[in-house]
Amino acid sequence: MSLAELFRPHRSRFDLSAACRVCALSLFALGSVAGWQTQVSAQTPSTASAKPVPDSKASGDAPDDPGPLATDISSELKPQAIQAVVKKVAAWQVKVAEPTFNRLWTYAALYDGLLAASKATGDPAFRDAVLKFSEEEKWQLIDNRFPHADDEAMGKAYMDLYLGDSKNARKPERMANTKEIMDRLVVRPDEPKLLWWWCDALYMAPPVLSRMYLATGDKKYLDYMDHEWWLTSKTLYNQQDHLYFRDERYLTQKQANGKNLYWSRGNGWVMGGLVKVLEIMPKNYPTRAKYVEQFKQMAEEVKSIQSKDGLWRSGLLDPDAYDLPEISGSAFFTYAIAYGINEHILDRKTYLPVVEKSWAGMLKHVYADGRLGSIQPVDGQPGRFKPSSSHVYGVGGFLMAGYEMNRLAGGKR
């Protein structure tokens, strides 16, 4: 079932490097909240709020002693088992992260996952947490470095909450600021530098534009998205390897084994973005077939490099160089491939073993309290990290994967 179908009226269901991010946000240390180190920038106030914006690195932690791994979860492909682990991980993350909820791209991915978790489990608590925060923020995006896609990522959650109500009950304030910014974006002329010059951006902004199309019926949002997507793809997508370079700096960089350097999470972001575009894009949209073809190409490549443990390493083509699997990239790959099976874009017989292995592999990194570990911190390239490392965007990807795995198992939709 597509997102567009879920949101039909009257349905009740409904990186630049971390250092560059810090520089871009003019950050200075402020302290810590609930053990999650928090820094803030002296940002220009948005129209909604003068509250400072936390550093994107304040997205998680990596304790030396995270406690034991979970023994009360099952990797069976059954709705009850899947929903139980989704609920466990989502509940832990809300408890830990809610005091530091913010509008950055890091948390925006978490909110996408929490909304998916409520749909998968039937538990409204996770959606309610996102709704409460959205209301506190008055449905405003960060708007001090337009047109940066990271600052638009929160719009996915705003728009999903808006579209989740039946048509005659929708609340215009939920989409008003996002629409104002998207309206500015779609009339922006191209400049020599790509708008979406890093592949992560394809998860941050295009899904907001697709949802704005769904909300308004105005094709200009899809057309602009389509134009910019293929400009980015022309530069960063390798037609032979069927993977995206993170940005132009990596076009000629190699891994230690001499192969091209492709970042797991970056390609996960792209596949997640493809899902969120395809679930809304009309079947008769002129270039839809190009998105489907790219999705299939990437899925086939990702399948071919899956490790024995079912997961993927931070550097995709040199897995032996990395001790640990990387869960955020693995989660988005699982989410996308499971979606592809559910929507009959990918062959079930071919790809079901892939997501069965990856889902089981991720569950080996869930701790007894619900922490999801082995997630690379904020970065723009492959890197190393501790087994306990947990960050909100990786949890968001995992919860979205759980939603699609639940569908795959015949559970709630």
Side-chain angles (χ1 to χ4, degrees):
M1 182 177 295
S2 70
L3 188 63
E5 289 173 319
L6 286 174
F7 287 148
R8 280 177 182 161
H10 309 301
R11 281 191 181 265
S12 58
R13 291 188 280 121
F14 57 80
D15 255 48
L16 286 169
S17 68
C20 290
R21 291 188 184 281
V22 174
C23 179
L25 290 171
S26 306
L27 301 167
F28 61 91
L30 186 68
S32 63
V33 178
W36 289 45
Q37 292 188 351
T38 305
Q39 293 178 313
V40 297
S41 69
Q43 84 168 57
T44 303
S46 73
T47 56
S49 172
K51 289 196 296 185
V53 177
D55 178 4
S56 62
K57 292 198 296 183
S59 62
D61 62 3
D64 292 333
D65 182 12
L69 291 169
T71 59
D72 60 345
I73 57 177
S74 169
S75 61
E76 285 187 298
L77 194 61
K78 294 181 178 179
Q80 185 176 1
I82 294 167
Q83 291 172 30
V85 71
V86 165
K87 198 166 185 176
K88 183 181 183 74
V89 172
W92 174 84
Q93 188 66 88
V94 170
K95 180 180 178 181
V96 171
E98 193 167 22
T100 54
F101 273 9
N102 59 65
R103 294 176 290 165
L104 289 180
W105 62 272
T106 46
Y107 280 72
L110 171 63
Y111 306 143
D112 300 339
L114 291 174
L115 294 177
S118 277
K119 287 194 285 185
T121 65
D123 187 338
F126 313 122
R127 177 186 180 276
D128 290 348
V130 180
L131 177 60
K132 177 176 178 287
F133 175 72
S134 300
E135 289 173 338
E136 289 171 354
E137 296 302 310
K138 298 181 172 59
W139 306 92
Q140 302 287 308
L141 299 180
I142 298 170
D143 187 20
N144 65 329
R145 53 174 186 168
F146 177 83
H148 203 290
D150 283 356
D151 298 342
E152 297 158 5
M154 183 78 197
K156 291 193 297 301
Y158 290 161
M159 293 303 299
D160 283 348
L161 287 166
Y162 169 80
L163 291 163
D165 290 335
S166 60
K167 194 167 185 179
N168 60 357
R170 290 174 183 168
K171 300 173 177 61
E173 66 272 15
R174 293 184 177 183
M175 66 171 282
N177 180 249
T178 300
K179 184 176 184 300
E180 187 273 318
I181 291 174
M182 293 301 101
D183 284 346
R184 269 193 273 147
L185 184 66
V186 298
V187 297
R188 174 188 176 274
D190 286 335
E191 296 177 357
K193 182 173 181 174
L194 287 171
L195 170 64
W196 299 330
W197 53 264
W198 70 115
C199 71
D200 321 19
L202 298 181
Y203 180 82
M204 308 304 166
V208 184
L209 288 162
S210 67
R211 280 151 179 74
M212 194 58 65
Y213 157 76
L214 184 60
T216 65
D218 195 330
K219 197 163 155 283
K220 70 182 180 184
Y221 301 107
L222 276 186
D223 290 346
Y224 183 83
M225 180 213 74
D226 181 63
H227 173 71
E228 297 295 339
W229 184 289
W230 296 112
L231 288 179
T232 297
S233 183
K234 182 179 179 180
T235 300
L236 300 183
Y237 186 62
N238 186 304
Q239 294 286 352
Q240 287 71 50
D241 292 340
H242 295 154
L243 293 169
Y244 272 81
F245 293 102
R246 197 276 178 169
D247 57 60
E248 288 185 83
R249 294 174 301 164
Y250 298 97
L251 295 177
T252 58
Q253 291 193 35
K254 305 294 182 182
Q255 294 267 215
N257 65 358
K259 294 185 178 181
N260 285 335
L261 191 157
Y262 297 111
W263 183 38
S264 173
R265 185 161 67 239
N267 281 275
W269 285 129
V270 175
M271 291 197 75
L274 280 165
V275 170
K276 291 190 176 296
V277 168
L278 287 172
E279 65 188 357
I280 287 175
M281 181 177 279
K283 297 286 195 254
N284 63 352
Y285 190 76
T287 60
R288 180 183 170 89
K290 291 177 64 177
Y291 293 87
V292 171
E293 179 59 24
Q294 187 172 89
F295 181 84
K296 288 180 174 180
Q297 290 176 355
M298 294 186 74
E300 173 60 29
E301 177 61 23
V302 165
K303 177 177 75 70
S304 74
I305 58 175
Q306 186 177 27
S307 297
K308 291 181 180 179
D309 61 6
L311 303 176
W312 292 265
R313 268 50 187 173
S314 183
L316 288 174
L317 299 189
D318 192 5
D320 293 340
Y322 304 92
D323 296 333
L324 293 173
E326 204 288 297
I327 297 299
S328 65
S330 297
F332 277 98
F333 292 151
T334 304
Y335 165 56
I337 293 173
Y339 167 84
I341 298 168
N342 284 326
E343 296 300 319
H344 310 291
I345 296 171
L346 300 176
D347 178 66
R348 183 183 179 97
K349 183 177 179 180
T350 302
Y351 285 94
L352 182 59
V354 176
V355 293
E356 286 181 319
K357 283 177 61 179
S358 61
W359 182 250
M362 289 193 292
L363 264 56
K364 293 177 181 177
H365 297 272
V366 176
Y367 288 84
D369 60 358
R371 168 186 290 270
L372 179 65
S374 205
I375 297 172
Q376 185 186 1
V378 172
D379 209 331
Q381 60 190 343
R384 291 178 173 81
F385 42 87
K386 293 162 63 174
S388 66
S389 179
S390 186
H391 292 267
V392 291
Y393 41 80
V395 174
F398 176 84
L399 298 176
M400 286 185 276
Y403 170 75
E404 290 296 340
M405 292 300 292
N406 187 56
R407 287 183 65 198
L408 202 57
K412 292 179 183 291
R413 298 187 180 189

